[in-house]
Amino acid sequence: MNKNVKNVIKFATFVALFVGIITPIAHFLFVPLNSDITSYGSFYKEKENSLDLVMVGSSTVRDGFSPLEAYHEYGITSHSVNSSPTHLEVIKIALEEIERVQSPKVVYVDLNGLNNQTKDSAPSFVQDYYDCMPEGAAKNAIAEKYSYIKTKEEWEFFAHHNGFRQQIYWESFVYNKQLYTKGYFPNDTAVKGLKVNSVAKENPADTPTISADGRQYLKDILEIATKYKDKTHFIFGQMPRYLQNGIASFDLYQIHDPLTAYYMVRSVRTEVEEAGFEFVEWCDTDFLSNTLMLDPKKDQFDAEHLNHLGAKKFTAYFSKYLMDNYLEGSIVDGKERMIHSQEIEEDFQNSYEGYLGVVAPIEKKLGMKAK
């Protein structure tokens, strides 16, 4: 037997052993997603009708808004429903589920997913959400609506949500304190050499158009919001950050040019406002510099995401904005604050104390003053 044949046999044997070992490990570690350690699952842990605010979106929402900071300052109870990345089909499902179990006063919907997501790319994301839902009629209805949903018994190695590419898998390992953060993930570094681009007042002529699927998704989402607008205020937009184009990413589901994505979202402002909803502009350079006082070299994790320092700045701004425009609290010690039942207050206070333990080393690393 020549050397080349021996090498082929050795390689084939290694592959067989690798698959044989990794498959059972994958079954134990990756199936199903644990509802305690994803923002989808932890959202369902909240007491029914206990939330003032729900933030919906992708990693920019996950990294950019801290529900426990909003609670500490204003008593606002909130939870972020997100994954990295998310899909507009999941946003449709999430909005219906949010209204079914919470009926919040305000829902913020991040439209970053308009950057050419298609219906064909939806199944793995819908599967992720489905896996994190509690058993019951609502989960069964999702399985009936989406024929591609897989149950645990139908699990296929490297398929759908079980693919190693899908980031929510790794979230089950590194975001294991969701119950303390209410769906927030604090980044602990900043890209010191981040080179950002100014946002033009008008969309550039070469901005790609939103796909037909994206347009239909926007229509569907606005119809859902219209159905519930008598009891919930909906705000649409995209999360604040200084933008840079041409970043590297292995994510195949989205165009990863933040400037392109920004302009695509901003192009639907008229449609959102004509439907009767507020569209927020948070990436304008003047707002970022003079209102939010955001420093991209200190407050951003990268060209798309805020770090913990930046998230605290935005959370403080948005919380006050909500109190001034959408929420009505009571004056406590000279400051307006949302009031809830003792059970809800105790839950959020306990979560806040756990949250402090999560962010303490992060704040130290970022050079933030101790509380």
Side-chain angles (χ1 to χ4, degrees), residues 286-356:
D286 179 67
F287 170 81
L288 293 172
S289 298
N290 301 322
T291 301
L292 206 56
M293 306 295 287
L294 198 73
D295 182 343
K297 291 180 172 58
K298 294 181 179 179
D299 301 333
Q300 291 193 203
F301 174 67
D302 58 23
E304 291 187 288
H305 307 90
L306 300 179
N307 66 13
H308 180 56
L309 184 56
K312 288 189 73 168
K313 288 184 176 182
F314 173 67
T315 302
Y317 166 82
F318 190 43
S319 298
K320 187 176 187 308
Y321 181 83
L322 292 175
M323 295 301 294
D324 290 343
N325 295 278
Y326 291 102
L327 301 177
E328 184 176 351
S330 301
I331 303 301
V332 179
D333 296 328
K335 184 176 182 179
E336 187 177 13
R337 184 176 179 84
M338 300 299 292
I339 303 299
H340 306 88
S341 69
Q342 182 178 352
E343 180 182 5
I344 295 172
E345 294 281 356
E346 287 179 353
D347 170 65
F348 269 80
Q349 185 58 38
N350 290 337
S351 292
Y352 178 71
E353 292 171 5
Y355 160 84
L356 292 180

Side-chain angles (χ1 to χ4, degrees), residues 98-118:
I98 288 165
E99 293 296 335
R100 181 179 71 84
V101 302
Q102 285 295 333
S103 296
K105 299 175 180 65
V106 182
V107 170
Y108 166 74
V109 182
D110 198 81
L111 293 175
N112 198 42
L114 279 175
N115 48 335
N116 283 342
Q117 287 183 348
T118 65

Side-chain angles (χ1 to χ4, degrees), residues 2 4 30 60 73 82 88 91 141 214 228 231 263 297 340:
N2 63 43
N4 289 336
F30 296 159
T60 53
E73 292 298 323
N82 58 74
L88 296 173
I91 289 180
Y228 297 110
K231 60 178 181 176
Y263 285 118
K297 291 180 172 58
H340 306 88

Side-chain angles (χ1 to χ4, degrees), residues 33-43 45 131-133 179:
L33 293 175
N34 190 322
S35 63
D36 287 348
I37 51 181
T38 67
S39 72
Y40 295 157
S42 58
F43 166 76
K45 302 287 185 179
D131 286 343
C132 295
M133 293 179 70
L179 291 176

